[in-house]
Each structure stands twice: as C-alpha cells, then as structure tokens.
Amino acid sequence: MRVGPGLRLRPPQNPQPRDFTKLRRPQPVELALQSLGNEGLGQQATGMAGVVPENLAPAWYWTDQFVSEVIFHNRILNHKCRVMEPESATAFYIPFYAGLAVGKYLWANSSTAQDRDRHCEMMLRWVQDQPYYKRSEGWDHFITMGRITWDFRRSNDQDWGSSCIYLPGMRNITRLLIERNPWDYFDVGVPYPTGFHPRSDSDVAEWQSFVSTRNRTKLFCFAGAKRGAIKNDFRGLLLSHCQSESESCRVVDCAGTKCSNGTSAILETFLDSDFCLQPRGDSFTRRSIFDCMVAGSIPVFFWKRTAYIQYEWFLPGEPESYSVYIDRNAVINGTSIKNVLQGFSREEVEKMRGKVIDYIPKFLYAKPQEGLESVKDAFDIALEGVLRRFMEHGESGFRWK
C-alpha cells in the first residue's frame, strides 16, 4: 500500500564528498564480513535438518543481531514508494550505517571519543547542507541505527559509545533502533533481526502452522549465561532456578555453547517449551525475545522495559495477551517461576501462544528485497509508521529547531 505521496530513498543528485560515499558501506571490524552477505542476512544456516521443515530450511540464515541498517537499506532501495524527484517525497532516508561505523571502536582500547564521533559528524555535516534537510530541519528525515540507543548517547569523552544522537543536526531525525530510549520521541524500537527470513507468504503461513502444532515437552526454558562481574546477577539466578527444575525447564547455558550465530540449540529449546524466560540482556532488551516468539514460545519478562515500552508498533497492546510478567524482586525473594507458570490453564497457554503466532510476521525481515506479496513484515510496519508520523507532523504544524 502506498502511504503518502512519495518516499525519497536516495541522497540528492548533487556530488557527494568521497568520504561520505565510503561511509555508506563501511568495512566493519567487529563483524565478520560474511555476516553482511546476502543483503545483510548473513550466511545460509546449516544444521537445520530435523529442526525446521525441510522446505523452509533455505529461509534460515545465521543473521547477526546488529545488521538492521543493512537490511533496511537494501529493502528501501527496492520499495514501491521510492521516488526519484525530491519535490514529491514525503520522507527522506539517510543511508548511513551508524552502528557499523561506531562498532569497530567500541572495544578498542586505543579508540578516542573523536574516533567514535568522526563518521557521524561527517554524515551530519553533509546532510545539513542538503536543501531538503534545511527545509524541514530534519523532521521528514529518518535513519536506521543498528545498535541500541545507548551506544550513541555518550555524554562525556570518558563514557561508552558515540555522541551521535546528541550531535547538532540529529535532534529532529527519526531513528530506528533495536532498543530505544523510552523518553525520546524520535527513538523508535524495531525488532532485532532473527534467523528466519521468509521468501513468500506461504513460508510465513507454513511456519506459523508448524509452531502452532509443535509438541512442546517442557513447561519453560532459559537460554543465557551468567554475568560473573555483576553483583547479584539475575541471569545467574534464573540459570540456577531452571537447572534445579530440570523436569520442567530446559536450559541452554551460553557459557559453554555458542549462543549467537551458528547453532540450532536455541531454536530447538524454544520450539520445545511453552514459555521462555527473558530477563534483560546487557541492556534492557535482547534478541532472544524475538527468537523465542518466532518459535511460538511465550515470553516471560521481569522488567517492563524489556519489551512493553519498546516495540509498540510490533507487539499487542495488551501485554497479558501474549506474555507473562513476574517482578524480578519476587523471584529474588523466593517466588517459584515454575509455580507461577503452572498456574495458567492449558486453555490460557494456547490462547497466549495463538496471539504470539499471529504476530510472528511483525517480527520478521523478509528475504525478497521487494518484500512479501500481502504479508507485512517488520520492515513494512516500521516504514508505514515513519510515514504516518511525518504526515501527522505536517497536519499538526508542530515543529521545534
């Protein structure tokens, strides 16, 4: 569906500085080059035999969690609403890979604050010099930033990350991030990329049927690792809790298993469990939230910021319809997770699972660069949401500089 009169998806035609051209496709250090293959989907997944339906195996990839900016850019280049005349555009996309640009500096001991800001500063200098940015002060511009918002919110030179979001020119630009600042209107939370990238509507329907009829042998599961450096580590508490309830809970201890890309152990665990425990990760969110729901498992949250105020465009408005919330302090004080989850009737569990499965398309990034036939995936929903915002901005007449 065409939303708005048009969508401009490439920079204006005037010459670009050479350095900015290079920035659009940086050579990352923190990601292996193969992670960026297949338009950002990564390498084709192997070892899926017997885990997923045979004809769906080609739709699975070892997709890195930090490649959304690559996926979005490739989809936008082929979008049906793309226009070549800036005068007819409703929105302007900035094809800058902010996450990849800063990622190579985040763990480098020799990197400086200037290193981490340099590429974003170059991009913003170029963008602010364009006539269509000057016309709106950035209100009709948007960008995908493939990491969490806190990687771009450095307040002083000694702190973590870049100060990209705080730089002049960024204030009014809408930012699509895998974790947003709930108090910043211009941050929009979008789903972490998962490994399933359907090729057609029928792929989606077959997967939904597969997970809905799956025989689940465990009440709940947990996949993760302890954080030994953290005092009173909650993930370690969940790991111990699950291990002590081995008849009801399946554990994947990521301290001894590669839990990122390249293993089917996580997917098998989620497919075999009614519920999946989802504490916060290194930040409030984690990719595992979407991995578990794509598998038709019901998430159990312990922080409301993990999902409920992160992904409003993509999740049901009633949290209890698709998830369970258990206050972490209750668990610390002895509440049995097993007893809480056993308190749900079979009918209630199936109803929650049905809601999760209904929403699976909203968590996926389709493989075709043109998108799916009629099913809207996470990219479609994000883009329509951005365009809707921009139209509302124009109707309200509200602006600040």
Side-chain angles (χ1 to χ4, degrees):
M1 181 178 67
R2 186 180 177 87
V3 182
L7 175 66
R8 180 164 178 79
L9 297 165
R10 67 176 185 179
Q13 296 301 308
N14 42 326
Q16 299 177 14
R18 183 179 178 186
D19 287 338
F20 182 81
T21 302
K22 290 181 178 179
L23 283 174
R24 289 175 62 187
R25 290 193 181 276
Q27 296 299 309
V29 172
E30 86 287 2
L31 294 178
L33 289 178
Q34 59 264 29
S35 297
L36 301 179
N38 293 309
E39 291 81 40
L41 306 186
Q43 291 186 312
Q44 191 87 44
T46 56
M48 288 294 186
V51 180
V52 304
E54 183 179 355
N55 61 315
L56 291 182
W60 284 86
Y61 294 79
W62 300 135
T63 303
D64 193 273
Q65 64 179 331
F66 297 126
V67 295
S68 60
E69 52 206 5
V70 183
I71 294 173
F72 269 78
H73 187 193
N74 280 289
R75 285 285 297 277
I76 280 176
L77 289 174
N78 294 274
H79 198 274
K80 60 187 177 182
C81 291
R82 184 184 182 190
V83 296
M84 301 301 177
E85 305 78 22
E87 295 79 11
S88 64
T90 298
F92 294 82
Y93 177 69
I94 302 173
F96 172 62
Y97 297 171
L100 296 183
V102 73
K104 64 182 179 180
Y105 297 111
L106 291 178
W107 290 273
N109 294 330
S110 59
S111 73
T112 65
Q114 290 71 34
D115 291 332
R116 286 171 272 149
D117 289 347
R118 182 180 302 113
H119 298 101
C120 190
E121 289 173 342
M122 292 168 62
M123 178 273 292
L124 285 170
R125 282 197 298 270
W126 184 87
V127 167
Q128 290 179 91
D129 196 42
Q130 304 310 309
Y132 296 96
Y133 179 93
K134 291 179 179 179
R135 183 182 66 182
S136 69
E137 294 293 331
W139 272 86
D140 54 5
H141 285 56
F142 70 106
I143 187 172
T144 309
M145 306 176 81
R147 306 187 68 91
I148 64 174
T149 192
W150 315 109
D151 289 342
F152 307 102
R153 292 180 177 272
R154 193 191 70 245
S155 297
N156 61 68
D157 287 356
Q158 289 70 46
D159 288 344
W160 170 267
S162 83
S163 61
C164 186
I165 287 177
Y166 295 143
L167 292 176
M170 183 63 84
R171 180 176 186 180
N172 296 334
I173 295 173
T174 292
R175 307 173 289 266
L176 306 180
L177 302 123
I178 52 178
E179 178 174 327
R180 65 184 287 256
N181 176 353
W183 297 278
D184 189 331
Y185 169 81
F186 292 94
D187 274 10
V188 175
V190 299
Y192 282 75
T194 69
F196 182 42
H197 303 283
R199 302 154 296 179
S200 63
D201 289 7
S202 61
D203 276 3
V204 177
E206 182 174 353
W207 180 256
Q208 289 175 303
S209 176
F210 171 70
V211 297
S212 67
T213 57
R214 177 81 176 191
N215 180 29
R216 299 174 188 267
T217 59
K218 295 293 185 180
L219 176 64
F220 64 112
C221 66
F222 175 64
K226 296 179 180 179
R227 290 291 188 266
I230 299 177
K231 185 178 180 181
N232 301 320
D233 172 36
F234 188 72
R235 295 216 281 191
L237 177 64
L238 293 185
L239 189 66
S240 299
H241 186 94
C242 202
Q243 288 171 333
S244 69
E245 300 284 1
S246 58
E247 290 187 4
S248 301
C249 185
R250 180 169 173 173
V251 177
V252 179
D253 186 349
C254 291
T257 304
K258 184 180 179 183
C259 286
S260 54
N261 307 324
T263 177
S264 60
I266 303 292
L267 178 60
E268 287 186 274
T269 298
F270 292 150
L271 286 170
D272 286 344
S273 306
D274 282 330
F275 298 92
C276 53
L277 307 186
Q278 294 296 335
R280 58 173 290 172
D282 295 324
S283 60
F284 279 98
T285 66
R286 60 200 299 242
R287 166 177 161 161
S288 179
I289 299 166
F290 295 100
D291 288 334
C292 99
M293 289 193 289
V294 166
S297 190
I298 302 161
V300 180
F301 298 121
F302 304 90
W303 279 264
K304 292 185 178 180
R305 283 179 64 182
T306 298
Y308 300 152
I309 56 176
Q310 281 291 337
Y311 310 105
E312 290 98 330
W313 293 356
F314 306 89
L315 295 173
E318 305 78 27
E320 67 280 0
S321 71
Y322 73 96
S323 68
V324 175
Y325 176 75
I326 306 175
D327 188 276
R328 60 194 175 280
N329 292 314
V331 177
I332 292 170
N333 291 327
T335 293
S336 167
I337 296 172
K338 175 184 174 181
N339 289 346
V340 172
L341 299 181
Q342 283 183 330
F344 291 96
S345 68
R346 199 69 237 163
E347 182 181 5
E348 290 172 319
V349 171
E350 293 305 324
K351 187 175 181 179
M352 281 190 282
R353 189 191 329 286
K355 180 67 76 171
V356 168
I357 292 171
D358 285 345
Y359 271 70
I360 283 178
K362 300 176 185 289
F363 313 145
L364 305 175
Y365 294 95
K367 178 173 173 52
Q369 290 186 350
E370 301 79 12
L372 302 176
E373 302 95 275
S374 61
V375 173
K376 294 180 180 179
D377 69 352
F379 170 84
D380 294 319
I381 293 167
L383 196 55
E384 289 187 7
V386 167
L387 294 176
R388 184 172 59 250
R389 270 191 168 202
F390 291 170
M391 293 172 68
E392 291 169 354
H393 293 167
E395 292 169 359
S396 67
F398 175 70
R399 295 283 191 277
W400 64 67
K401 296 184 177 181

